Amino acid sequence: MTVADFRFFTLEVVRTLRVGHSFLRVTFGGESLADFRSGGYDQSLSLFLPPPHREHTRLPSTDEDTWFAAWRAMPDEERPVMRSYTVREQRGTGTDTVELDIDFVRHGTGTSAADAADSPASSWAGRALPGHRIQAIGPAVAQNKSVRFQPPAGTDALVMYADETALPAAAAILERLPEGRRVTAWFEVPHADDRLALRTPADADITWIVREEGAGRERTERLLEVVRAAELPAAEAPYAWVAGEAGTIRAVRRHLVKERSLDRRAVRFTGYWRLGASEEELLAEAYAGRAPSEEPTAEL
Ligand SMILES: Cc1cc2nc3c(=O)[nH]c(=O)nc-3n(C[C@H](O)[C@H](O)[C@H](O)COP(=O)(O)OP(=O)(O)OC[C@H]3O[C@@H](n4cnc5c(N)ncnc54)[C@H](O)[C@@H]3O)c2cc1C
């Protein structure tokens, strides 16, 4: 019998904590998490978040063959939104007191009805209270395809770019790297106090790019200026992990492949969101012409 890599879990809010200016850390618990197996690194999961007038998410079906059609058939005003997030940390794996931390970027203020409609996940995080329950499709085995950080054996240096949405993933990756691994990283955040303290055994050279300090500049242009000016350590087999806003990460990949001559197969880049498009719109594009995957994310 094969074990399904992904399944539904019920996540109950245990507490919330403001981290930096832009992040709200939501810690989840719940009995079903005893079977949750994060693969670490940039492990993502799909959250189903209730509309503002509901405290809990209740999907009509969590059966692997019928959930998608049943979810799609819900009336618009009742249908939970599906959004991709990262497991920042899992504690207590395999016990009955598992906790998961997820760091939500609070984009928009999330306080008005318009925000709730425009950015439902960010806005849900702002309303989250202990005892609220949501549902998620997450990993039941640690080796799963939602861990995208997969440097080949022999990798001798890492190049990383993350914006604030990918900073939780970058932080989790840094914590797990081998001691002394050379890393050159650029992390772009909205505010100076989003420069979170990061722990790593690696030999990491981290440059923070604070967007509020470059007000008025086109974001990708300013970033590329910093990236171009950086010196990368000589390496035989570098691997790059690039995640964040879709247009920005394309520009970073182009720079790494065209101007730095990195092998394009050694650049793992993942769009976490796209300026001007909700995850619904991205999912609709992703689904056009193909069946939903078990752990659907809006790969851009
Ligand atoms: C694999 C993966 C892992 C991710 N992990 C995380 C994570 O750990 N933490 C996290 O915060 N996000 C994470 N994201 C990104 C998150 O899924 C998106 O930001 C998502 O769009 C947020 O949903 P929403 O309902 O708040 O906004 P949506 O309804 O999807 O979008 C509404 C509007 O807001 C804009 N928008 C979306 N996100 C942002 C943003 N951060 N800043 C400014 N404008 C934005 C959109 O372009 C759109 O115009 C991840 C995405 C992927 C694919």
Side-chain angles (χ1 to χ4, degrees):
M1 198 174 104
T2 56
V3 181
D5 286 1
F6 298 96
R7 45 159 285 199
F8 275 95
F9 294 90
T10 299
L11 275 54
E12 183 169 326
V13 177
V14 177
R15 59 185 172 274
T16 62
L17 176 71
R18 191 82 188 225
V19 189
H21 181 280
S22 304
F23 301 96
L24 191 71
R25 175 162 299 161
V26 182
T27 299
F28 296 95
E31 281 171 24
S32 73
L33 290 181
D35 297 326
F36 194 94
R37 292 288 183 279
S38 171
Y41 301 106
D42 55 348
Q43 175 74 64
S44 64
L45 75 175
S46 295
L47 303 180
F48 293 85
L49 301 162
H53 62 283
R54 299 274 177 218
E55 288 185 356
H56 309 298
T57 301
R58 234 175 258 113
L59 292 170
S61 164
T62 55
D63 177 89
E64 74 174 288
D65 295 324
T66 58
W67 74 266
F68 186 75
W71 170 64
R72 294 303 306 157
M74 292 177 80
D76 288 350
E77 64 283 7
E78 291 297 337
R79 189 184 312 112
V81 293
M82 179 167 62
R83 294 288 185 267
S84 304
Y85 278 84
T86 303
V87 179
R88 172 63 187 87
E89 188 174 329
Q90 172 170 2
R91 291 177 294 278
T93 304
T95 70
D96 52 10
T97 51
V98 173
E99 283 192 348
L100 288 188
D101 288 339
I102 298 182
D103 289 354
F104 289 78
V105 174
R106 299 283 285 120
H107 64 98
T109 63
T111 50
S112 69
D115 277 333
D118 285 349
S119 302
S122 166
S123 146
W124 175 84
R127 296 193 305 276
L129 289 174
H132 287 180
R133 288 186 303 280
I134 63 166
Q135 286 168 291
I137 298 176
V141 293
Q143 295 263 4
N144 64 76
K145 66 183 170 53
S146 294
V147 177
R148 296 167 180 82
F149 178 80
Q150 303 282 356
T155 298
D156 59 354
L158 272 179
V159 178
M160 301 175 77
Y161 164 77
D163 73 6
E164 62 272 32
T165 63
L167 189 61
I173 289 171
L174 282 170
E175 283 172 6
R176 282 193 159 220
L177 290 178
E179 195 164 341
R181 168 64 41 85
R182 284 173 309 154
V183 181
T184 306
W186 302 286
F187 296 147
E188 185 179 6
V189 290
H191 297 279
D193 64 1
D194 293 324
R195 293 173 297 176
L196 305 181
L198 302 171
R199 296 184 302 263
T200 182
D203 174 12
D205 176 9
I206 297 172
T207 303
W208 291 96
I209 297 147
V210 178
R211 222 172 287 130
E212 68 179 350
E213 289 168 0
R217 302 280 307 280
E218 202 272 309
R219 49 189 285 161
T220 304
E221 180 201 328
R222 177 160 174 260
L223 166 70
L224 283 181
E225 210 171 90
V226 175
V227 169
R228 277 201 182 97
E231 206 169 302
L232 297 186
E236 299 271 309
Y239 176 81
W241 178 90
V242 176
E245 196 281 322
T248 307
I249 60 157
R250 265 194 217 105
V252 174
R253 181 174 80 150
R254 208 176 306 125
H255 167 76
L256 293 175
V257 172
K258 295 232 156 85
E259 296 174 41
R260 303 280 189 160
S261 304
L262 260 72
D263 182 341
R264 66 171 57 240
R265 288 164 305 183
V267 182
R268 183 74 206 233
F269 82 122
T270 311
Y272 275 27
W273 63 288
R274 194 197 292 163
L275 263 177
S278 72
E279 201 168 330
E280 246 85 63
E281 292 162 320
L282 300 172
L283 279 167
E285 283 177 19
Y287 286 148
R290 71 169 173 83
S293 61
E294 283 171 294
E295 198 257 4
T297 53
E299 291 275 2
L300 308 174

